[in-house]
């Protein structure tokens, strides 16, 4: 489909709105829970809302790291990816603005490297936590099971609890960027982009070309040579294409979970 036709498509703009709305809801819920002391409340809130969004809005990504992983594995077109990223960032900024107006202490909104740790440790934990989240997201979309929302929510909660003491357990660049913009606090902000993006991309490549039922050297070669992976998937006997997998249709055509 040509770019002009996509921009005139209602499905395209519903996808953009779904990404903005899902990120607004996700970030807003997590920031509200962050007012409570300790990492448990934000982790549980993030897990619950991620599972709910996966079941209600057709599994939007609501996470720039997941969107970039989809782009790297050629599961999402460039136009959809760029529009999704902008929508996610806008939703996060709106949620952060509302949270700052509603909460008495805006410093608690910002994800920070632990005072007892280092930026390197925080980077490692953000990478690891996002890796397991993205792996769960790719697998849940691949198998299209009714428990997909539960799997995603559990991965969000587990990652936040594991990385929380070291980095705040963001796993989502938009969740960290929104509060940074509205508060002006950018300490070690690069950690919350590099770690999640690296973890998500590694997980996406690992799943699609190693663990997926339709994984093959042909798919990997198509991805590396910038050819259409879908053409390889349609000729594969394994049900690895979105249509064969029964992947739920999303407003952005190919969503990959929430967080």
């Amino acid at each position: 489909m040509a770019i002009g036709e996509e921009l005139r498509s209602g499905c395209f703009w519903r996808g953009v709105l779904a990404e903005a709305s899902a990120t607004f809801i996700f970030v807003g819920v997590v920031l509200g829970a962050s007012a409570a002391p300790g990492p448990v409340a934000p982790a549980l809130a993030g897990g619950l809302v991620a599972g709910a969004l996966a079941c209600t809005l057709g599994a939007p990504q609501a996470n720039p790291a997941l969107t970039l992983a989809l782009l790297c594995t050629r599961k999402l077109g460039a136009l959809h990816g760029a529009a999704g990223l902008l929508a996610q960032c806008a939703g996060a900024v709106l949620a952060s603005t509302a949270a700052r107006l509603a909460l008495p202490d805006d410093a608690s909104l910002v994800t920070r490297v632990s005072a007892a740790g280092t930026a390197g440790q925080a980077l490692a934990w953000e990478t690891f936590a996002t890796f397991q989240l993205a792996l769960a997201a790719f697998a849940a979309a691949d198998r299209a099971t009714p428990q997909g929302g539960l799997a995603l929510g559990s991965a969000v909660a587990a990652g936040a609890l594991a990385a929380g003491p070291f980095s705040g357990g963001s796993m989502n660049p938009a969740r960290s960027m929104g509060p940074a913009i509205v508060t002006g606090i950018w300490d070690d902000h690069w950690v919350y982009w590099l770690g999640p993006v690296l973890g998500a991309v590694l997980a996406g490549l690992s799943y699609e070309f190693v663990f997926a039922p339709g994984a093959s050297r042909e798919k990997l070669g198509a991805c590396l040579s910038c050819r259409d992976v879908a053409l390889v998937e349609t000729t594969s006997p394994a049900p690895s294409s979105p249509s064969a997998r029964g992947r739920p249709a999303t407003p952005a055509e190919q969503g990959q979970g929430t967080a």
Side-chain angles (χ1 to χ4, degrees):
M1 183 183 294
I3 293 179
E5 294 179 2
E6 286 194 89
L7 292 175
R8 291 191 295 270
S9 168
C11 181
F12 174 84
W13 292 109
R14 283 194 299 272
V16 173
L17 181 60
E19 289 296 336
S21 300
T23 311
F24 176 83
I25 294 170
F26 177 80
V27 174
V29 167
V30 172
L31 293 182
S34 297
V40 176
L44 292 179
L48 290 172
V49 73
L53 290 171
C55 296
T56 56
L57 290 182
Q61 294 104 54
N63 185 333
L66 293 179
T67 301
L68 290 171
L70 283 172
L71 286 169
C72 289
T73 54
R74 304 184 61 79
K75 295 296 182 183
L76 193 66
L79 179 61
H80 284 275
L85 289 171
L86 291 175
Q88 291 158 4
C89 292
V93 171
L94 289 175
S96 301
T97 302
R100 190 184 187 193
L101 294 174
L103 298 175
D105 181 17
D106 57 16
S108 65
L109 306 180
V110 181
T111 48
R112 298 173 183 268
V113 174
S114 171
T118 65
Q121 291 174 327
L123 176 65
W125 277 100
E126 283 293 316
T127 303
F128 169 74
T130 313
F131 179 89
Q132 61 87 33
L133 167 61
L135 199 64
F138 272 79
D142 192 38
R143 288 161 174 77
T145 62
Q147 296 81 22
L150 177 61
L152 288 171
S154 299
V156 170
L161 288 172
F166 304 92
S167 64
S170 173
M171 301 176 288
N172 187 328
R175 180 262 178 269
S176 295
M177 186 198 69
I181 288 177
V182 301
T183 63
I185 301 174
W186 295 89
D187 299 346
D188 299 307
H189 186 71
W190 61 273
V191 168
Y192 301 99
W193 279 90
L194 180 58
V197 170
L198 181 60
V201 170
L202 288 175
L205 294 173
S206 298
Y207 184 81
E208 288 296 327
F209 305 122
V210 178
F211 300 116
S216 66
R217 286 177 295 180
E218 289 76 14
K219 281 180 62 177
L220 178 59
C223 182
L224 294 177
S225 61
C226 296
R227 292 185 287 117
D228 191 353
V229 176
L231 294 178
V232 178
E233 290 180 325
T234 55
T235 60
S236 173
S240 59
S241 69
S243 59
R245 298 174 195 168
R247 175 175 299 186
T250 68
E253 289 187 354
Q254 294 179 5
Q256 204 80 17
T258 304

